[in-house]
Amino acid sequence: MFKKIREDIAIVFERDPAARSTLEVLTTYPGVHALLIHRLAHAFWRIKLYWLGRFISHIGRWFTGIEIHPGATIGRRVFIDHGMGVVIGETAIIEDDCTLYHGVTLGGTSWNKGKRHPTLKQGVVIGAGAKILGPITIGRGAKIGSNAVVVKDVPAKATAVGIPARIVEEEGQTKQKSAVQLPAFNAYALGRDEDDPMHKNLDQLMQAIKKQNQTIERLQDQIKSLKPRANEDLKLAKAFSHKKKASK
């Protein structure tokens, strides 16, 4: 137990540059508090003291703003940053070294009993506000962008963004790029829009619309330049018709 607590504290210093002291982490980090309370609630849940486990979980939610069902399985060195609004369902499984930001939901999509919540493999990072729904698996080392809604499995080392989430980068693509070109994962925004196929399509559409607008403007200018000449031709035609009538 004490070894896990030391790991929880150490991982905060590793992943949050704002952390300054052990006292600060122990007293002001709700993600650390939520995990400590969950371990106690989960211990009671495993020996079938369900009400007590749920009650302790409820107290943890009240103190931290993080709701973790006592039946959820959470590994070691898991970091919940900020944490407000995080919801982790009963059959969710979070393996070691995962990171969750505020507003993340590991939710179910079925009322049937059994496995109905996601499984996060080791080293997964879930951006702020993302929703991972159903008994799906997020592969080892995968990253989920901010506010994404994931309803299908995500391969290992892949990055998924959007609603519904789509893969914008996989391990094979990452290896082809140098480390200098790859920015750090942004937990608060999608980032790397140039890799998003939807962004590419929208960009092409906007470029086509821009060209059409430019063509329309040129045609309008040409039409305006032709009006004075058209008026002169009309006057000449009228004058000619009057002369013709007079000669008759």
Side-chain angles (χ1 to χ4, degrees), residues 88-162:
I88 300 173
E90 177 186 3
T91 62
I93 299 174
I94 303 175
E95 295 188 358
D96 300 343
D97 302 305
C98 291
T99 301
L100 281 67
Y101 289 82
H102 53 278
V104 167
T105 298
L106 304 183
T109 56
S110 171
W111 290 347
N112 298 325
K113 293 186 179 297
K115 186 76 167 80
R116 58 189 188 279
H117 297 94
T119 296
L120 309 185
K121 293 294 185 179
Q122 185 175 1
V124 168
V125 180
I126 310 294
K131 315 301 177 189
I132 319 298
L133 306 176
I136 61 176
T137 299
I138 310 301
R140 183 186 178 109
K143 297 178 178 63
I144 308 300
S146 172
N147 295 318
V149 177
V150 185
V151 293
K152 295 181 181 179
D153 292 349
V154 175
K157 300 293 183 181
T159 299
V161 301

Side-chain angles (χ1 to χ4, degrees), residues 31-60:
V32 175
H33 302 157
L35 290 173
L36 291 174
I37 294 169
H38 170 72
R39 291 203 183 100
L40 179 60
H42 186 64
F44 285 116
W45 188 266
R46 291 183 64 183
I47 60 175
K48 298 185 178 181
L49 294 175
Y50 298 128
W51 179 87
L52 186 57
R54 286 300 301 265
F55 183 71
I56 293 172
S57 173
H58 183 69
I59 292 174

Side-chain angles (χ1 to χ4, degrees), residues 11-234:
I11 207 66
V12 172
F13 287 105
E14 181 180 321
R15 301 182 196 172
D16 185 4
R20 291 179 174 81
S21 68
T22 300
L23 178 63
E24 179 185 16
V25 172
L26 282 173
T27 55
T28 65
Y29 274 69
V32 175
H33 302 157
L35 290 173
L36 291 174
I37 294 169
H38 170 72
R39 291 203 183 100
L40 179 60
H42 186 64
F44 285 116
W45 188 266
R46 291 183 64 183
I47 60 175
K48 298 185 178 181
L49 294 175
Y50 298 128
W51 179 87
L52 186 57
R54 286 300 301 265
F55 183 71
I56 293 172
S57 173
H58 183 69
I59 292 174
R61 177 193 180 196
W62 187 64
F63 273 107
T64 66
I66 299 169
E67 181 174 347
I68 307 176
H69 193 284
T73 302
I74 299 179
R76 299 167 69 170
R77 298 178 300 278
V78 171
F79 179 45
I80 302 176
D81 196 9
H82 301 292
M84 180 62 70
V86 168
V87 177
I88 300 173
E90 177 186 3
T91 62
I93 299 174
I94 303 175
E95 295 188 358
D96 300 343
D97 302 305
C98 291
T99 301
L100 281 67
Y101 289 82
H102 53 278
V104 167
T105 298
L106 304 183
T109 56
S110 171
W111 290 347
N112 298 325
K113 293 186 179 297
K115 186 76 167 80
R116 58 189 188 279
H117 297 94
T119 296
L120 309 185
K121 293 294 185 179
Q122 185 175 1
V124 168
V125 180
I126 310 294
K131 315 301 177 189
I132 319 298
L133 306 176
I136 61 176
T137 299
I138 310 301
R140 183 186 178 109
K143 297 178 178 63
I144 308 300
S146 172
N147 295 318
V149 177
V150 185
V151 293
K152 295 181 181 179
D153 292 349
V154 175
K157 300 293 183 181
T159 299
V161 301
I163 305 174
R166 55 197 177 277
I167 306 301
V168 297
E169 187 174 87
E170 295 192 42
E171 184 177 18
Q173 297 172 342
T174 304
K175 288 180 178 178
Q176 294 174 1
K177 301 175 184 178
S178 67
V180 177
Q181 293 174 318
L182 291 175
F185 175 69
N186 190 340
Y188 301 102
L190 299 183
R192 296 196 60 79
D193 285 336
E194 68 275 12
D195 293 328
D196 188 344
M198 183 64 72
H199 177 83
K200 289 180 179 179
N201 292 336
L202 289 174
D203 185 63
Q204 290 173 358
L205 180 60
M206 293 302 296
Q207 291 296 328
I209 292 173
K210 183 178 179 180
K211 289 181 180 179
Q212 287 180 351
N213 288 338
Q214 291 173 347
T215 302
I216 291 171
E217 289 177 0
R218 285 197 299 268
L219 290 173
Q220 288 176 337
D221 291 339
Q222 291 176 2
I223 291 171
K224 288 178 181 178
S225 66
L226 291 173
K227 280 185 178 181
R229 182 176 176 181
N231 291 333
E232 291 178 2
D233 292 342
L234 182 61

